[in-house]
Amino acid sequence: MRVEWEDAVRRLLVGAHRGGGGPEALLDDCAAGGPAAFGAALPVAVEVAELEAAPSTAERIVGEAAREVFTHIAAVDDQVLLTEWCGKARAAGEVAEHRSLPELLVLGTTHPGLRAAVAAVLGSRGRWLAGTRPGWAWATGSGVSAELVPLGEVLDLPGARRLAALRRARRVDPVGTRAFLVEQFAAQRRAVDRQALVTAVETGLGPEDEELLEAALDDRAIGVHDEAVRLLRMLPGSALAARAAERLDRGLHLVEDGFDVRADELWAEALPGRDEARDLQRDGSEVGVAGRLRAAAASVPAAYWTARLATDDEGAAEVLSGGPWAAALLRGVAQRLAVAVDASPWAVAATRTLTGMEQLEMLASLPAELSARTVIAVSHQWNYDLLDHACSQLPAPWSAESTAALLGRYAAMRDPRWRAGRPPAVLLARGDAEVLGANWALITQRWPEHSVELEVLRLRMKLSQAFDRKEPVQ
């Protein structure tokens, strides 16, 4: 057929009569030869097994108002709003409408960060549908991603799945898995394998794991050693914490405005001794006197400082905020806020001391409400950009109290030139919808350019009311 087509093309170029035929015959050849030469082949019949019937379910499906809101959220492709929608549906004990399931699975597939939220509202019908396509396997709730892999086969899995399997094993059988980790740590030659074994210890971390982590401190691989240091600093009452407390007792003394380094003790030396170096991160972040002080402070709980100073967390944080080494010490304390009796004064003191990305990273690591309270407490002298960056770290949705306070902070600031007259997008996208709605007169007076933001807030209010079973916003 290819030869006939090429002959017809030649006759088209030279003319029907010169090519030895009439126009009608040439057109017939073109009509037959063109599709035959370039048309798609007929699909091959493939035998496929019929799908199993979808399971019947008694799960509660979201109401009509919530379905309408979902349609709008999917249309604007707002991942923050979609996460909020899924969270409200889950809190209400409801699952997505069946017609929405394919779109939710597509969104979870293209945006991995949404998968946990989406999976929570798929229901049994959504998990059944996910099993019809390999690309949706993340939502099936079965297979290698969800089953406990036998320990003997775990190290044959790819990196991410290997670590997930080890963590699941720790939750199911902590004693047996601990013995497996100890045995394999001594046997594995590759540093990446040893690091995975150490990282798995984080799940269910307890005093029984200290022996393995102490052994990992002597590992020559930087990644293995530094992971062990990180986990030992999370372990209350560890030997590493006791060593750090002894160094702080020896190396620091109280002066008029805070703590200072003793001139004749270990931190007077330019380089750490072997024992101290063993307890420091080897990634280059804990060098020099400031880095070594930060490491020691990160290795002891906040209770060390309250006991040493015989005061509460607020008083101890005030003392550490003074002195020439305040920044180094508070950077270390900031890494241990999760175990502080009262983390708020430490968070405020550290935020006032830290700058740039360190400050924002610390705020992002705090629990949502503590992070919001800290931003509110220290943002009096901040400019718009710094406040906006910090607020972008706060998980949504914000509490009513945090929303009201941060609205006041934003309203009191002068807008940057590029944002003049327009309300802060992060405030309207993450703040409590009820509080923002109640203060809409203030918002529109303070920021008169608000057409796009008004639609976002309307959608969020509809979202809130859809699950509260209130009348929808008109």
Side-chain angles (χ1 to χ4, degrees):
M1 185 57 70
R2 175 69 66 175
V3 175
E4 288 81 352
W5 171 249
E6 291 175 352
D7 180 63
V9 171
R10 180 184 59 78
R11 285 185 284 135
L12 279 172
L13 293 173
V14 302
H17 294 293
R18 289 183 180 179
E24 295 80 2
L26 179 57
L27 289 175
D28 289 342
D29 291 342
C30 290
F38 296 102
L42 290 174
V44 178
V46 178
E47 293 291 335
V48 294
E50 292 185 5
L51 290 176
E52 295 181 4
S56 59
T57 174
E59 295 163 327
R60 290 173 51 201
I61 298 176
V62 295
E64 186 62 37
R67 300 176 200 176
E68 181 184 347
V69 171
F70 171 77
T71 301
H72 288 300
I73 292 174
V76 298
D77 194 22
D78 191 312
Q79 296 182 40
V80 173
L81 279 178
L82 179 59
T83 302
E84 187 174 349
W85 186 92
C86 293
K88 286 189 174 292
R90 181 181 182 183
E94 299 173 346
V95 298
E97 182 193 16
H98 298 161
R99 288 181 297 178
S100 304
L101 295 175
E103 192 164 12
L104 279 167
L105 287 166
V106 169
L107 288 168
T109 301
T110 54
H111 303 293
L114 293 174
R115 291 181 179 179
V118 168
V121 297
L122 290 177
S124 56
R125 184 68 64 91
R127 290 189 291 274
W128 165 83
L129 183 61
T132 64
R133 290 191 179 183
W136 293 347
W138 57 269
T140 59
S142 61
V144 175
S145 61
E147 292 177 356
L148 182 62
V149 177
L151 280 176
E153 302 174 13
V154 163
L155 295 181
D156 296 328
L157 296 173
R161 286 165 56 187
R162 171 197 309 172
L163 184 56
L166 285 171
R167 285 174 169 164
R168 282 191 298 273
R170 288 272 295 181
R171 289 191 290 268
V172 174
D173 181 15
V175 176
T177 306
R178 182 178 298 112
F180 173 82
L181 294 177
V182 172
E183 177 187 357
Q184 292 299 318
F185 183 81
Q188 293 301 318
R189 291 182 172 273
R190 296 198 314 160
V192 66
D193 294 330
R194 298 196 303 277
Q195 185 172 345
L197 294 168
V198 172
T199 302
V201 173
E202 184 171 4
T203 301
L205 180 66
E208 300 83 358
D209 301 306
E210 186 173 7
E211 183 178 355
L212 171 60
L213 295 176
E214 282 285 340
L217 290 181
D218 297 316
D219 200 287
R220 290 181 296 178
I222 292 177
V224 179
H225 170 274
D226 287 1
E227 189 68 3
V229 171
R230 182 182 73 86
L231 294 178
L232 282 169
R233 289 177 181 174
M234 295 169 55
L235 188 62
S238 67
L240 180 139
R243 294 193 294 268
E246 189 271 335
R247 293 183 188 111
L248 290 167
D249 289 340
R250 286 173 48 202
L252 292 180
H253 67 111
L254 195 60
V255 295
E256 183 176 355
D257 57 349
F259 281 106
D260 199 358
V261 173
R262 295 184 185 274
D264 57 346
E265 266 298 345
L266 72 165
W267 285 310
E269 300 292 332
L271 297 175
R274 182 182 179 281
D275 290 341
E276 184 185 359
R278 185 172 178 266
D279 293 343
L280 300 175
Q281 297 276 2
R282 295 177 185 168
D283 60 2
S285 63
E286 295 178 353
V287 296
V289 176
R292 292 158 64 189
L293 281 171
R294 183 173 71 249
S299 302
V300 296
Y304 165 83
W305 302 104
T306 57
R308 179 168 178 176
L309 295 168
T311 183
D312 57 11
D313 286 287
E314 186 173 359
E318 183 178 354
V319 173
L320 261 69
S321 298
W325 304 102
L329 292 172
L330 286 171
R331 282 187 177 95
V333 172
Q335 299 178 33
R336 298 295 304 271
L337 290 184
V339 294
V341 174
D342 182 7
S344 187
W346 293 109
V348 170
T351 303
R352 286 175 174 157
T353 302
L354 304 182
T355 58
M357 287 305 299
E358 265 191 326
Q359 185 183 69
L360 298 179
E361 287 172 0
M362 190 213 73
L363 289 170
S365 69
L366 299 177
E369 195 55 35
L370 174 58
S371 183
R373 292 201 309 269
T374 303
V375 170
I376 293 164
V378 304
S379 60
H380 295 276
Q381 304 300 321
W382 285 3
N383 61 27
Y384 182 99
D385 288 337
L386 184 54
L387 177 64
D388 211 46
H389 281 302
C391 287
S392 68
Q393 306 294 322
L394 304 179
W398 302 343
S399 69
E401 295 76 11
S402 298
T403 302
L406 291 170
L407 172 59
R409 285 283 184 273
Y410 273 112
M413 289 183 175
R414 186 175 69 179
D415 296 340
R417 184 182 306 174
W418 60 273
R419 192 77 192 178
R422 295 176 58 195
V426 68
L427 174 67
L428 297 193
R430 303 191 180 192
D432 181 82
E434 297 293 337
V435 172
L436 295 174
N439 287 277
W440 188 245
L442 168 65
I443 294 173
T444 54
Q445 180 181 6
R446 171 64 180 81
W447 296 286
E449 301 292 333
H450 53 256
S451 58
V452 175
E453 288 78 7
L454 175 61
E455 292 307 313
V456 172
L457 182 55
R458 281 188 183 278
L459 186 56
R460 293 196 65 233
M461 292 179 69
K462 284 184 178 181
L463 168 59
S464 178
Q465 294 172 0
F467 287 99
D468 291 341
R469 296 295 187 263
K470 296 179 181 178
E471 291 297 322
V473 177
Q474 299 298 322

